[in-house]
Amino acid sequence: MSDTLPDPLTHAEWTAALRDGRLLGQRCGACGNETAAPKAACNECGSREIETVELPTEGTVYTETTIAVAPAAFEGGYRVAVIDLGTEGNARVTARLESDADIGDAVAFSDVLEVDEPVPVFG
Amino acid sequence: MHQARIVGVGMTNFGVHDRPLPELFSSAAFDAMDDAGVDAPAIESFYLGNAMGGQTERDTHLAPTLASHIGLAGIPCQRYEDACATSSNAFKHAVRAVEAGQHDIVLVGGVERCTPTTGLDTPEMTSVFASASHRQYEQPTGLSFPGVFGLLTTRHMHEYGTTEEDLAAVAVKNHRHGTYNPRAQFGSETTVEEVLESPIVASPFHLFDCCPFSDGAAAVVVANEEAAADLSSESVAVSGVGHATDTIPLADKADFTATQSARDAADQAYEQAGVGPDDVDVVELHDCFTGAEVLAIEALGFFEDGEGGPAAANGETALGGRIPVNPSGGLKAKGHPIGATGVAQLVELTEHLRGEAGERQVEGARRGLAHNLGGDAGTTIVSILEVDA
Protein backbone atom coordinates (compact mmCIF):
# COMPACT_ATOMS: atom_id res chain seq x y z
CA MET A 1 0.00 0.00 0.00
CA SER A 2 1.31 3.41 -0.98
CA ASP A 3 1.85 6.00 1.72
CA THR A 4 0.77 8.90 -0.46
CA LEU A 5 -2.62 9.02 -2.06
CA PRO A 6 -3.31 11.09 -5.19
CA ASP A 7 -4.96 14.43 -4.53
CA PRO A 8 -7.23 15.21 -6.23
CA LEU A 9 -8.29 11.68 -7.16
CA THR A 10 -8.78 11.46 -10.94
CA HIS A 11 -10.38 8.68 -12.92
CA ALA A 12 -6.96 7.79 -14.34
CA GLU A 13 -5.54 7.39 -10.84
CA TRP A 14 -8.62 5.45 -9.71
CA THR A 15 -8.18 2.95 -12.56
CA ALA A 16 -4.40 2.76 -12.02
CA ALA A 17 -5.04 1.88 -8.38
CA LEU A 18 -7.56 -0.80 -9.42
CA ARG A 19 -4.88 -2.46 -11.51
CA ASP A 20 -2.72 -2.51 -8.36
CA GLY A 21 -5.49 -4.25 -6.48
CA ARG A 22 -6.49 -1.15 -4.52
CA LEU A 23 -9.84 0.62 -4.35
CA LEU A 24 -9.59 4.37 -3.89
CA GLY A 25 -12.39 6.75 -3.02
CA GLN A 26 -13.08 10.07 -1.41
CA ARG A 27 -14.29 11.32 1.96
CA CYS A 28 -15.87 14.73 2.40
CA GLY A 29 -14.11 16.80 5.07
CA ALA A 30 -17.28 18.77 5.76
CA CYS A 31 -19.99 16.07 6.06
CA GLY A 32 -18.12 12.76 6.07
CA ASN A 33 -19.89 11.37 2.99
CA GLU A 34 -17.82 8.88 1.01
CA THR A 35 -17.84 7.78 -2.62
CA ALA A 36 -16.05 5.13 -4.62
CA ALA A 37 -16.67 7.12 -7.81
CA PRO A 38 -14.52 10.23 -7.44
CA LYS A 39 -15.93 13.70 -7.98
CA ALA A 40 -14.77 17.30 -7.93
CA ALA A 41 -17.03 18.10 -4.96
CA CYS A 42 -19.16 16.25 -2.43
CA ASN A 43 -22.53 15.20 -3.83
CA GLU A 44 -24.13 15.40 -0.39
CA CYS A 45 -23.13 18.91 0.68
CA GLY A 46 -21.23 20.48 -2.23
CA SER A 47 -18.02 20.95 -0.27
CA ARG A 48 -14.76 20.87 -2.21
CA GLU A 49 -12.91 19.73 0.91
CA ILE A 50 -12.61 16.13 -0.18
CA GLU A 51 -9.71 13.85 0.60
CA THR A 52 -8.66 10.70 -1.17
CA VAL A 53 -9.06 7.59 0.94
CA GLU A 54 -8.13 3.95 0.60
CA LEU A 55 -11.41 2.02 0.69
CA PRO A 56 -11.87 -1.48 2.08
CA THR A 57 -11.60 -4.30 -0.46
CA GLU A 58 -14.20 -6.36 1.35
CA GLY A 59 -17.90 -5.65 1.60
CA THR A 60 -21.36 -7.10 1.17
CA VAL A 61 -23.65 -7.30 -1.84
CA TYR A 62 -26.15 -4.41 -1.61
CA THR A 63 -27.98 -5.35 -4.80
CA GLU A 64 -27.28 -7.30 -7.98
CA THR A 65 -28.56 -8.17 -11.44
CA THR A 66 -27.69 -10.77 -14.04
CA ILE A 67 -27.42 -9.21 -17.50
CA ALA A 68 -28.54 -11.55 -20.27
CA VAL A 69 -29.08 -9.07 -23.11
CA ALA A 70 -25.85 -7.09 -23.10
CA PRO A 71 -24.71 -3.83 -24.66
CA ALA A 72 -22.50 -4.12 -27.75
CA ALA A 73 -18.93 -5.17 -26.82
CA PHE A 74 -20.19 -7.33 -23.96
CA GLU A 75 -21.39 -10.93 -23.99
CA GLY A 76 -24.47 -11.60 -21.90
CA GLY A 77 -24.60 -13.90 -18.92
CA TYR A 78 -22.69 -11.88 -16.30
CA ARG A 79 -23.59 -10.30 -12.97
CA VAL A 80 -23.29 -6.64 -12.00
CA ALA A 81 -23.61 -5.66 -8.37
CA VAL A 82 -23.40 -2.69 -6.07
CA ILE A 83 -21.11 -3.55 -3.18
CA ASP A 84 -21.58 -1.89 0.19
CA LEU A 85 -18.09 -1.39 1.60
CA GLY A 86 -19.37 -0.97 5.14
CA THR A 87 -17.66 2.34 5.78
CA GLU A 88 -18.93 5.08 8.06
CA GLY A 89 -19.36 7.40 5.07
CA ASN A 90 -21.48 4.81 3.21
CA ALA A 91 -19.15 4.15 0.26
CA ARG A 92 -20.52 1.76 -2.37
CA VAL A 93 -18.98 0.62 -5.62
CA THR A 94 -20.49 -0.79 -8.80
CA ALA A 95 -18.63 -3.93 -9.81
CA ARG A 96 -18.72 -7.20 -11.67
CA LEU A 97 -19.79 -10.01 -9.38
CA GLU A 98 -18.16 -13.32 -10.19
CA SER A 99 -19.83 -15.55 -7.63
CA ASP A 100 -23.33 -16.64 -6.73
CA ALA A 101 -23.43 -14.26 -3.75
CA ASP A 102 -26.83 -12.80 -2.87
CA ILE A 103 -27.76 -9.55 -1.17
CA GLY A 104 -26.08 -9.35 2.23
CA ASP A 105 -23.39 -11.92 1.44
CA ALA A 106 -19.74 -11.07 2.08
CA VAL A 107 -17.57 -10.56 -1.02
CA ALA A 108 -14.05 -9.33 -1.71
CA PHE A 109 -12.31 -7.38 -4.49
CA SER A 110 -10.58 -10.18 -6.34
CA ASP A 111 -9.73 -9.13 -9.88
CA VAL A 112 -9.95 -6.44 -12.54
CA LEU A 113 -11.96 -6.88 -15.72
CA GLU A 114 -11.04 -4.88 -18.82
CA VAL A 115 -13.47 -4.76 -21.72
CA ASP A 116 -13.52 -1.02 -22.29
CA GLU A 117 -11.60 0.11 -19.23
CA PRO A 118 -10.87 -1.50 -15.87
CA VAL A 119 -13.66 -2.32 -13.44
CA PRO A 120 -13.39 -4.06 -10.09
CA VAL A 121 -14.46 -7.67 -9.86
CA PHE A 122 -15.83 -8.91 -6.54
CA GLY A 123 -16.41 -12.49 -5.64
CA MET B 1 -48.31 34.75 -13.16
CA HIS B 2 -50.21 33.32 -16.11
CA GLN B 3 -52.00 29.96 -16.01
CA ALA B 4 -50.54 27.58 -18.59
CA ARG B 5 -53.09 25.39 -20.34
CA ILE B 6 -52.81 22.55 -22.84
CA VAL B 7 -55.02 23.61 -25.74
CA GLY B 8 -54.23 20.91 -28.30
CA VAL B 9 -52.75 17.40 -28.42
CA GLY B 10 -51.48 14.99 -31.05
CA MET B 11 -49.40 11.86 -31.33
CA THR B 12 -48.53 9.15 -33.81
CA ASN B 13 -49.08 5.48 -33.24
CA PHE B 14 -46.15 4.07 -31.30
CA GLY B 15 -44.40 1.18 -32.99
CA VAL B 16 -42.23 0.98 -36.07
CA HIS B 17 -41.99 4.03 -38.34
CA ASP B 18 -39.77 4.03 -41.41
CA ARG B 19 -39.89 7.80 -41.89
CA PRO B 20 -37.25 10.48 -41.17
CA LEU B 21 -37.68 12.34 -37.88
CA PRO B 22 -39.07 15.56 -39.47
CA GLU B 23 -41.80 13.63 -41.29
CA LEU B 24 -42.64 11.57 -38.22
CA PHE B 25 -42.82 14.64 -35.99
CA SER B 26 -44.96 16.61 -38.44
CA SER B 27 -47.88 14.19 -37.98
CA ALA B 28 -48.01 14.74 -34.24
CA ALA B 29 -47.36 18.48 -34.47
CA PHE B 30 -50.08 19.12 -37.06
CA ASP B 31 -52.57 17.02 -35.10
CA ALA B 32 -51.84 19.10 -31.99
CA MET B 33 -52.04 22.41 -33.88
CA ASP B 34 -55.27 21.39 -35.63
CA ASP B 35 -56.74 20.16 -32.35
CA ALA B 36 -55.89 23.53 -30.77
CA GLY B 37 -57.13 25.44 -33.79
CA VAL B 38 -53.90 27.39 -34.20
CA ASP B 39 -51.91 28.02 -37.36
CA ALA B 40 -48.15 28.28 -37.58
CA PRO B 41 -47.96 32.11 -37.31
CA ALA B 42 -49.65 31.98 -33.87
CA ILE B 43 -46.89 29.80 -32.41
CA GLU B 44 -44.25 31.90 -30.70
CA SER B 45 -41.72 29.28 -29.62
CA PHE B 46 -40.95 25.57 -30.06
CA TYR B 47 -39.67 23.26 -27.31
CA LEU B 48 -38.43 19.87 -28.52
CA GLY B 49 -37.52 16.66 -26.79
CA ASN B 50 -35.13 14.29 -28.56
CA ALA B 51 -32.71 12.20 -26.57
CA MET B 52 -30.63 10.09 -28.92
CA GLY B 53 -30.92 11.30 -32.52
CA GLY B 54 -27.21 12.08 -32.59
CA GLN B 55 -26.29 8.56 -31.58
CA THR B 56 -28.98 6.59 -33.36
CA GLU B 57 -29.44 8.46 -36.64
CA ARG B 58 -26.57 10.97 -36.93
CA ASP B 59 -29.19 13.69 -36.70
CA THR B 60 -28.52 16.71 -34.47
CA HIS B 61 -29.57 20.37 -34.22
CA LEU B 62 -33.04 19.01 -34.61
CA ALA B 63 -35.21 21.79 -33.18
CA PRO B 64 -34.81 24.25 -36.08
CA THR B 65 -34.78 21.38 -38.58
CA LEU B 66 -38.14 20.11 -37.37
CA ALA B 67 -39.51 23.64 -37.04
CA SER B 68 -38.57 24.34 -40.66
CA HIS B 69 -40.35 21.18 -41.78
CA ILE B 70 -43.62 22.32 -40.21
CA GLY B 71 -43.59 26.00 -41.13
CA LEU B 72 -42.22 27.42 -37.90
CA ALA B 73 -38.78 28.63 -39.06
CA GLY B 74 -37.77 31.91 -37.49
CA ILE B 75 -39.12 31.48 -33.98
CA PRO B 76 -36.92 30.49 -31.02
CA CYS B 77 -36.50 26.70 -30.94
CA GLN B 78 -34.71 24.62 -28.37
CA ARG B 79 -34.01 20.94 -27.85
CA TYR B 80 -33.93 19.25 -24.45
CA GLU B 81 -32.16 16.03 -23.54
CA ASP B 82 -32.63 14.27 -20.21
CA ALA B 83 -32.64 10.61 -21.13
CA CYS B 84 -36.21 9.28 -20.96
CA ALA B 85 -37.50 12.46 -19.25
CA THR B 86 -36.53 14.46 -22.33
CA SER B 87 -39.83 15.83 -23.58
CA SER B 88 -41.23 16.43 -20.08
CA ASN B 89 -38.31 18.75 -19.58
CA ALA B 90 -39.19 20.51 -22.84
CA PHE B 91 -42.77 20.76 -21.53
CA LYS B 92 -41.64 22.18 -18.20
CA HIS B 93 -39.71 24.95 -19.91
CA ALA B 94 -42.62 25.74 -22.21
CA VAL B 95 -44.97 25.96 -19.22
CA ARG B 96 -42.59 28.23 -17.33
CA ALA B 97 -42.23 30.52 -20.37
CA VAL B 98 -46.01 30.80 -20.66
CA GLU B 99 -46.45 31.30 -16.92
CA ALA B 100 -43.85 34.07 -16.98
CA GLY B 101 -45.59 35.85 -19.83
CA GLN B 102 -42.70 35.33 -22.20
CA HIS B 103 -44.87 33.59 -24.81
CA ASP B 104 -48.63 33.28 -25.30
CA ILE B 105 -48.76 30.11 -27.42
CA VAL B 106 -45.99 27.52 -27.80
CA LEU B 107 -45.54 24.10 -29.37
CA VAL B 108 -43.96 21.31 -27.30
CA GLY B 109 -43.16 17.92 -28.68
CA GLY B 110 -40.88 14.96 -28.80
CA VAL B 111 -39.77 12.47 -31.40
CA GLU B 112 -37.49 9.45 -31.38
CA ARG B 113 -36.78 6.31 -33.34
CA CYS B 114 -35.35 3.34 -31.41
CA THR B 115 -36.36 0.31 -33.47
CA PRO B 116 -34.17 -1.49 -36.05
CA THR B 117 -35.40 1.00 -38.69
CA THR B 118 -32.52 3.15 -37.39
CA GLY B 119 -30.09 0.49 -38.61
CA LEU B 120 -29.05 -0.42 -35.05
CA ASP B 121 -29.55 -3.95 -33.76
CA THR B 122 -30.43 -4.87 -30.17
CA PRO B 123 -26.86 -4.88 -28.73
CA GLU B 124 -26.11 -1.52 -30.37
CA MET B 125 -29.36 0.06 -29.19
CA THR B 126 -28.82 -1.46 -25.71
CA SER B 127 -25.45 0.26 -25.76
CA VAL B 128 -27.00 3.62 -26.74
CA PHE B 129 -29.54 3.33 -23.91
CA ALA B 130 -26.73 2.41 -21.50
CA SER B 131 -25.05 5.72 -22.31
CA ALA B 132 -27.45 7.25 -19.77
CA SER B 133 -25.51 5.49 -17.02
CA HIS B 134 -22.21 6.84 -15.69
CA ARG B 135 -19.56 6.70 -18.41
CA GLN B 136 -16.62 5.96 -16.12
CA TYR B 137 -18.09 4.06 -13.16
CA GLU B 138 -21.02 2.09 -14.65
CA GLN B 139 -20.76 1.60 -18.40
CA PRO B 140 -17.45 -0.34 -18.22
CA THR B 141 -19.16 -2.97 -16.04
CA GLY B 142 -21.48 -3.83 -18.93
CA LEU B 143 -24.51 -2.50 -17.07
CA SER B 144 -27.54 -2.24 -19.37
CA PHE B 145 -30.61 -0.13 -18.64
CA PRO B 146 -32.77 -3.10 -17.76
CA GLY B 147 -29.84 -3.90 -15.46
CA VAL B 148 -30.03 -0.46 -13.83
CA PHE B 149 -33.67 -1.05 -12.92
CA GLY B 150 -32.81 -4.63 -12.09
CA LEU B 151 -30.47 -3.33 -9.37
CA LEU B 152 -33.16 -1.01 -7.97
CA THR B 153 -35.90 -3.63 -8.14
CA THR B 154 -33.83 -6.49 -6.71
CA ARG B 155 -33.21 -4.30 -3.66
CA HIS B 156 -36.95 -3.58 -3.38
CA MET B 157 -37.68 -7.30 -3.52
CA HIS B 158 -35.11 -7.88 -0.76
CA GLU B 159 -36.40 -5.15 1.53
CA TYR B 160 -40.15 -5.61 1.04
CA GLY B 161 -40.73 -9.10 -0.29
CA THR B 162 -41.90 -7.93 -3.70
CA THR B 163 -42.14 -11.00 -5.95
CA GLU B 164 -41.62 -11.76 -9.62
CA GLU B 165 -45.37 -12.47 -9.76
CA ASP B 166 -46.05 -8.95 -8.43
CA LEU B 167 -43.88 -7.55 -11.22
CA ALA B 168 -45.53 -9.71 -13.86
CA ALA B 169 -48.95 -8.46 -12.74
CA VAL B 170 -47.90 -4.95 -13.77
CA ALA B 171 -47.16 -6.20 -17.29
CA VAL B 172 -50.46 -8.09 -17.42
CA LYS B 173 -52.40 -5.00 -16.33
CA ASN B 174 -50.66 -2.64 -18.75
CA HIS B 175 -51.00 -5.06 -21.66
CA ARG B 176 -54.73 -5.29 -20.93
CA HIS B 177 -54.98 -1.49 -20.93
CA GLY B 178 -53.01 -1.41 -24.19
CA THR B 179 -55.69 -3.49 -25.92
CA TYR B 180 -58.03 -0.50 -25.49
CA ASN B 181 -55.53 1.92 -27.03
CA PRO B 182 -55.42 1.99 -30.84
CA ARG B 183 -52.09 3.87 -30.74
CA ALA B 184 -50.35 1.22 -28.59
CA GLN B 185 -47.50 -0.87 -29.94
CA PHE B 186 -48.83 -4.03 -28.26
CA GLY B 187 -52.53 -4.70 -28.61
CA SER B 188 -52.72 -8.14 -27.05
CA GLU B 189 -53.10 -9.43 -23.51
CA THR B 190 -50.50 -11.44 -21.66
CA THR B 191 -50.53 -13.60 -18.53
CA VAL B 192 -48.36 -13.91 -15.43
CA GLU B 193 -47.23 -17.33 -16.70
CA GLU B 194 -46.29 -15.93 -20.10
CA VAL B 195 -44.26 -13.13 -18.48
CA LEU B 196 -42.44 -15.54 -16.16
CA GLU B 197 -41.72 -17.96 -18.99
CA SER B 198 -40.26 -15.29 -21.27
CA PRO B 199 -36.45 -15.12 -21.36
CA ILE B 200 -34.49 -13.05 -18.85
CA VAL B 201 -33.22 -9.68 -20.13
CA ALA B 202 -31.67 -8.57 -16.84
CA SER B 203 -32.79 -10.17 -13.62
CA PRO B 204 -35.37 -9.93 -12.19
CA PHE B 205 -36.83 -8.78 -15.51
CA HIS B 206 -38.07 -11.15 -18.16
CA LEU B 207 -38.60 -9.92 -21.70
CA PHE B 208 -42.28 -9.19 -20.93
CA ASP B 209 -41.29 -7.08 -17.90
CA CYS B 210 -39.58 -4.66 -20.30
CA CYS B 211 -40.95 -1.95 -22.55
CA PRO B 212 -40.16 -2.36 -26.25
CA PHE B 213 -37.94 -0.34 -28.54
CA SER B 214 -40.34 2.09 -30.24
CA ASP B 215 -40.57 4.86 -32.80
CA GLY B 216 -43.04 7.70 -32.47
CA ALA B 217 -43.82 11.34 -31.88
CA ALA B 218 -46.12 13.38 -29.63
CA ALA B 219 -46.94 17.08 -29.37
CA VAL B 220 -49.04 19.49 -27.33
CA VAL B 221 -49.83 23.17 -27.75
CA VAL B 222 -49.48 25.17 -24.53
CA ALA B 223 -51.11 28.60 -24.17
CA ASN B 224 -51.83 31.10 -21.43
CA GLU B 225 -55.38 31.52 -20.11
CA GLU B 226 -56.14 34.50 -22.35
CA ALA B 227 -55.04 32.81 -25.56
CA ALA B 228 -56.81 29.60 -24.50
CA ALA B 229 -60.06 31.50 -23.99
CA ASP B 230 -59.89 32.78 -27.58
CA LEU B 231 -59.62 29.25 -28.96
CA SER B 232 -62.57 26.95 -29.50
CA SER B 233 -60.71 23.85 -28.29
CA GLU B 234 -61.33 22.32 -24.89
CA SER B 235 -58.26 23.06 -22.75
CA VAL B 236 -56.93 21.68 -19.47
CA ALA B 237 -54.89 23.56 -16.88
CA VAL B 238 -51.28 22.73 -16.03
CA SER B 239 -51.59 23.18 -12.30
CA GLY B 240 -48.22 21.85 -11.20
CA VAL B 241 -44.86 20.79 -12.62
CA GLY B 242 -42.08 19.46 -10.39
CA HIS B 243 -38.55 18.61 -11.51
CA ALA B 244 -35.84 16.98 -9.40
CA THR B 245 -32.65 14.97 -9.83
CA ASP B 246 -30.71 12.39 -7.84
CA THR B 247 -27.06 11.41 -7.65
CA ILE B 248 -25.33 9.54 -10.48
CA PRO B 249 -23.86 6.92 -10.42
CA LEU B 250 -26.43 4.69 -8.86
CA ALA B 251 -24.04 3.47 -6.17
CA ASP B 252 -23.97 6.95 -4.63
CA LYS B 253 -27.74 7.19 -4.10
CA ALA B 254 -28.70 7.18 -0.44
CA ASP B 255 -31.70 4.87 -0.93
CA PHE B 256 -32.18 2.54 -3.91
CA THR B 257 -35.90 1.95 -3.42
CA ALA B 258 -36.95 5.55 -2.76
CA THR B 259 -36.35 6.93 -6.29
CA GLN B 260 -35.82 10.19 -4.43
CA SER B 261 -36.06 12.43 -7.49
CA ALA B 262 -39.63 11.23 -8.02
CA ARG B 263 -40.52 12.03 -4.41
CA ASP B 264 -38.99 15.49 -4.66
CA ALA B 265 -40.58 16.26 -8.04
CA ALA B 266 -43.97 15.00 -6.79
CA ASP B 267 -43.72 17.15 -3.66
CA GLN B 268 -43.11 20.20 -5.83
CA ALA B 269 -45.96 19.40 -8.23
CA TYR B 270 -48.45 18.61 -5.44
CA GLU B 271 -47.52 21.81 -3.62
CA GLN B 272 -47.84 23.96 -6.74
CA ALA B 273 -51.22 22.41 -7.56
CA GLY B 274 -52.36 22.56 -3.93
CA VAL B 275 -53.36 18.88 -3.96
CA GLY B 276 -52.14 15.51 -2.73
CA PRO B 277 -52.08 11.94 -4.05
CA ASP B 278 -55.65 11.30 -2.87
CA ASP B 279 -56.89 14.03 -5.20
CA VAL B 280 -55.55 12.38 -8.38
CA ASP B 281 -57.98 10.49 -10.62
CA VAL B 282 -55.70 9.07 -13.31
CA VAL B 283 -51.94 8.47 -13.60
CA GLU B 284 -49.56 7.98 -16.49
CA LEU B 285 -46.19 6.92 -15.12
CA HIS B 286 -42.83 5.71 -16.31
CA ASP B 287 -43.08 1.91 -16.40
CA CYS B 288 -40.01 1.29 -18.57
CA PHE B 289 -39.76 -1.94 -16.57
CA THR B 290 -42.43 -3.45 -14.35
CA GLY B 291 -40.34 -2.74 -11.26
CA ALA B 292 -40.23 0.94 -12.19
CA GLU B 293 -44.03 1.13 -11.86
CA VAL B 294 -43.87 -0.44 -8.38
CA LEU B 295 -41.24 2.08 -7.26
CA ALA B 296 -43.16 4.98 -8.83
CA ILE B 297 -46.57 4.32 -7.23
CA GLU B 298 -44.84 4.37 -3.83
CA ALA B 299 -42.75 7.48 -4.60
CA LEU B 300 -45.83 9.35 -5.80
CA GLY B 301 -47.66 8.60 -2.55
CA PHE B 302 -50.38 6.31 -3.92
CA PHE B 303 -49.12 3.40 -1.83
CA GLU B 304 -47.05 3.14 1.34
CA ASP B 305 -43.41 2.18 0.87
CA GLY B 306 -43.21 -1.56 0.37
CA GLU B 307 -46.88 -1.93 -0.51
CA GLY B 308 -46.55 -1.22 -4.23
CA GLY B 309 -45.75 -4.81 -5.12
CA PRO B 310 -49.20 -6.42 -4.90
CA ALA B 311 -51.06 -3.33 -6.19
CA ALA B 312 -51.45 -4.50 -9.78
CA ALA B 313 -52.36 -8.08 -8.84
CA ASN B 314 -55.01 -6.73 -6.47
CA GLY B 315 -56.54 -4.61 -9.23
CA GLU B 316 -55.97 -1.36 -7.37
CA THR B 317 -54.08 0.24 -10.27
CA ALA B 318 -56.25 -1.12 -13.08
CA LEU B 319 -58.97 0.73 -14.94
CA GLY B 320 -61.91 0.68 -12.53
CA GLY B 321 -59.55 0.30 -9.55
CA ARG B 322 -58.75 2.72 -6.74
CA ILE B 323 -56.16 4.66 -8.73
CA PRO B 324 -55.95 3.77 -12.44
CA VAL B 325 -52.29 3.73 -13.52
CA ASN B 326 -51.24 3.76 -17.17
CA PRO B 327 -54.63 3.42 -18.86
CA SER B 328 -52.76 3.99 -22.15
CA GLY B 329 -50.90 0.72 -21.61
CA GLY B 330 -47.91 2.68 -20.35
CA LEU B 331 -44.45 2.40 -21.79
CA LYS B 332 -44.83 -1.35 -21.42
CA ALA B 333 -47.64 -1.79 -23.95
CA LYS B 334 -48.08 1.60 -25.60
CA GLY B 335 -44.34 1.80 -26.36
CA HIS B 336 -41.42 4.04 -25.43
CA PRO B 337 -39.92 6.23 -28.17
CA ILE B 338 -37.65 7.96 -25.64
CA GLY B 339 -37.99 11.61 -26.63
CA ALA B 340 -41.74 11.36 -27.27
CA THR B 341 -42.73 9.54 -24.09
CA GLY B 342 -43.16 12.44 -21.67
CA VAL B 343 -45.39 14.48 -23.95
CA ALA B 344 -47.34 11.36 -24.94
CA GLN B 345 -48.25 10.92 -21.26
CA LEU B 346 -49.72 14.44 -21.32
CA VAL B 347 -51.65 13.68 -24.52
CA GLU B 348 -53.20 10.65 -22.80
CA LEU B 349 -54.13 12.58 -19.64
CA THR B 350 -55.63 15.45 -21.63
CA GLU B 351 -57.87 13.01 -23.47
CA HIS B 352 -59.06 11.53 -20.16
CA LEU B 353 -59.76 14.97 -18.71
CA ARG B 354 -61.72 15.85 -21.85
CA GLY B 355 -63.63 12.55 -21.67
CA GLU B 356 -62.24 11.52 -25.06
CA ALA B 357 -60.27 8.38 -24.12
CA GLY B 358 -62.76 5.91 -25.52
CA GLU B 359 -62.71 2.36 -24.14
CA ARG B 360 -59.97 3.18 -21.65
CA GLN B 361 -61.63 6.34 -20.31
CA VAL B 362 -61.29 6.85 -16.54
CA GLU B 363 -64.85 7.93 -15.85
CA GLY B 364 -65.23 11.39 -14.38
CA ALA B 365 -61.48 12.11 -14.35
CA ARG B 366 -60.90 15.71 -13.28
CA ARG B 367 -57.22 15.61 -12.34
CA GLY B 368 -54.34 13.62 -13.87
CA LEU B 369 -50.71 13.13 -12.94
CA ALA B 370 -47.79 12.31 -15.23
CA HIS B 371 -44.48 10.90 -13.92
CA ASN B 372 -41.59 10.76 -16.39
CA LEU B 373 -38.26 9.42 -15.27
CA GLY B 374 -34.90 9.81 -16.97
CA GLY B 375 -31.83 7.64 -16.52
CA ASP B 376 -31.39 5.76 -13.25
CA ALA B 377 -34.02 8.01 -11.61
CA GLY B 378 -31.36 10.67 -12.15
CA THR B 379 -34.14 12.96 -13.42
CA THR B 380 -37.86 12.91 -12.69
CA ILE B 381 -40.52 15.35 -13.83
CA VAL B 382 -44.03 15.19 -12.38
CA SER B 383 -46.84 17.18 -14.01
CA ILE B 384 -50.41 17.67 -12.82
CA LEU B 385 -53.22 18.54 -15.24
CA GLU B 386 -56.71 19.61 -14.17
CA VAL B 387 -60.06 20.35 -15.71
CA ASP B 388 -61.18 22.93 -13.18
CA ALA B 389 -58.07 24.90 -12.17
Side-chain angles (χ1 to χ4, degrees):
Chain A
M1 184 181 296
S2 166
D3 290 327
T4 56
L5 294 171
D7 178 29
L9 178 60
T10 64
H11 179 63
E13 282 153 340
W14 187 85
T15 56
L18 276 191
R19 291 184 177 117
D20 288 341
R22 302 163 63 207
L23 186 57
L24 299 186
Q26 292 171 319
R27 181 184 299 125
C28 175
C31 76
N33 182 56
E34 290 178 340
T35 177
K39 297 176 183 63
C42 174
N43 67 63
E44 275 295 310
C45 73
S47 171
R48 297 184 211 169
E49 290 176 37
I50 43 179
E51 58 169 340
T52 304
V53 294
E54 184 104 27
L55 292 170
T57 52
E58 295 182 349
T60 56
V61 176
Y62 181 72
T63 188
E64 49 76 29
T65 182
T66 299
I67 309 281
V69 178
F74 295 90
E75 278 212 23
Y78 52 85
R79 303 184 83 198
V80 176
V82 174
I83 309 299
D84 192 327
L85 299 170
T87 64
E88 205 167 302
N90 199 33
R92 295 189 191 122
V93 65
T94 308
R96 277 295 187 92
L97 181 61
E98 289 191 351
S99 76
D100 57 3
D102 286 328
I103 290 179
D105 289 348
V107 287
F109 178 27
S110 59
D111 198 1
V112 176
L113 176 82
E114 310 220 21
V115 173
D116 178 5
E117 49 185 292
V119 298
V121 176
F122 278 68
Chain B
M1 191 173 84
H2 287 280
Q3 170 69 67
R5 301 186 72 88
I6 292 177
V7 297
V9 299
M11 63 180 281
T12 66
N13 292 343
F14 283 1
V16 179
H17 288 282
D18 188 13
R19 288 194 281 164
L21 293 177
E23 291 183 18
L24 184 57
F25 182 67
S26 67
S27 299
F30 286 159
D31 282 353
M33 290 163 66
D34 293 349
D35 181 39
V38 298
D39 294 326
I43 293 183
E44 298 176 7
S45 187
F46 171 42
Y47 296 76
L48 170 70
N50 176 264
M52 313 189 311
Q55 293 174 82
T56 54
E57 306 200 68
R58 203 159 43 85
D59 206 351
T60 59
H61 202 213
L62 275 165
T65 304
L66 299 191
S68 298
H69 194 70
I70 58 173
L72 296 181
I75 63 173
C77 302
Q78 47 274 304
R79 170 195 164 215
Y80 292 84
E81 183 275 303
D82 264 301
C84 306
T86 285
S87 58
S88 289
N89 200 5
F91 176 72
K92 171 204 159 182
H93 282 83
V95 166
R96 297 292 184 244
V98 167
E99 288 174 338
Q102 192 174 8
H103 301 299
D104 295 339
I105 302 178
V106 302
L107 178 69
V108 189
V111 63
E112 202 89 47
R113 294 200 316 156
C114 307
T115 68
T117 61
T118 57
L120 302 186
D121 61 15
T122 295
E124 289 172 314
M125 193 60 78
T126 301
S127 191
V128 171
F129 278 48
S131 71
S133 64
H134 198 292
R135 177 67 188 89
Q136 282 75 42
Y137 302 108
E138 290 179 324
Q139 288 180 40
T141 67
L143 190 61
S144 63
F145 242 79
V148 163
F149 280 85
L151 292 172
L152 299 176
T153 303
T154 301
R155 186 71 199 177
H156 195 274
M157 296 168 87
H158 173 78
E159 290 188 13
Y160 297 117
T162 309
T163 66
E164 288 196 22
E165 288 76 11
D166 291 336
L167 302 177
V170 174
V172 171
K173 184 259 297 179
N174 289 347
H175 269 258
R176 184 182 313 123
H177 289 176
T179 64
Y180 308 133
N181 184 355
R183 292 181 301 227
Q185 189 162 352
F186 296 141
S188 60
E189 298 215 29
T190 187
T191 63
V192 169
E193 295 70 30
E194 195 174 20
V195 175
L196 296 180
E197 285 167 11
S198 65
I200 290 283
V201 172
S203 66
F205 300 132
H206 298 259
L207 180 62
F208 282 19
D209 284 296
C210 305
C211 69
F213 294 135
S214 313
D215 310 325
V220 298
V221 177
V222 178
N224 65 24
E225 71 285 1
E226 292 161 6
D230 288 339
L231 298 168
S232 58
S233 67
E234 187 179 350
S235 70
V236 300
V238 183
S239 57
V241 181
H243 179 184
T245 61
D246 197 0
T247 309
I248 296 170
L250 199 66
D252 283 343
K253 293 187 200 306
D255 185 339
F256 273 38
T257 61
T259 50
Q260 191 59 44
S261 65
R263 289 165 198 256
D264 295 342
D267 284 348
Q268 293 170 26
Y270 286 138
E271 185 179 352
Q272 193 187 345
V275 301
D278 291 344
D279 302 310
V280 174
D281 301 314
V282 54
V283 182
E284 282 286 304
L285 62 74
H286 202 86
D287 60 322
C288 46
F289 307 98
T290 51
E293 178 161 320
V294 172
L295 295 170
I297 58 178
E298 294 178 5
L300 295 168
F302 300 122
F303 293 85
E304 294 293 321
D305 289 354
E307 294 180 4
N314 293 344
E316 294 183 86
T317 51
L319 280 164
R322 179 167 71 79
I323 177 73
V325 172
N326 286 325
S328 69
L331 282 56
K332 175 71 198 81
K334 180 181 61 179
H336 181 29
I338 310 298
T341 287
V343 167
Q345 293 177 325
L346 302 169
V347 172
E348 177 75 13
L349 291 180
T350 299
E351 292 182 349
H352 283 275
L353 299 181
R354 286 172 166 179
E356 295 175 349
E359 280 188 275
R360 63 189 189 283
Q361 176 70 41
V362 174
E363 291 303 327
R366 310 295 290 176
R367 186 178 291 114
L369 180 146
H371 155 281
N372 187 201
L373 175 158
D376 58 356
T379 292
T380 309
I381 294 170
V382 172
S383 306
I384 298 175
L385 307 183
E386 299 191 39
V387 174
D388 300 318

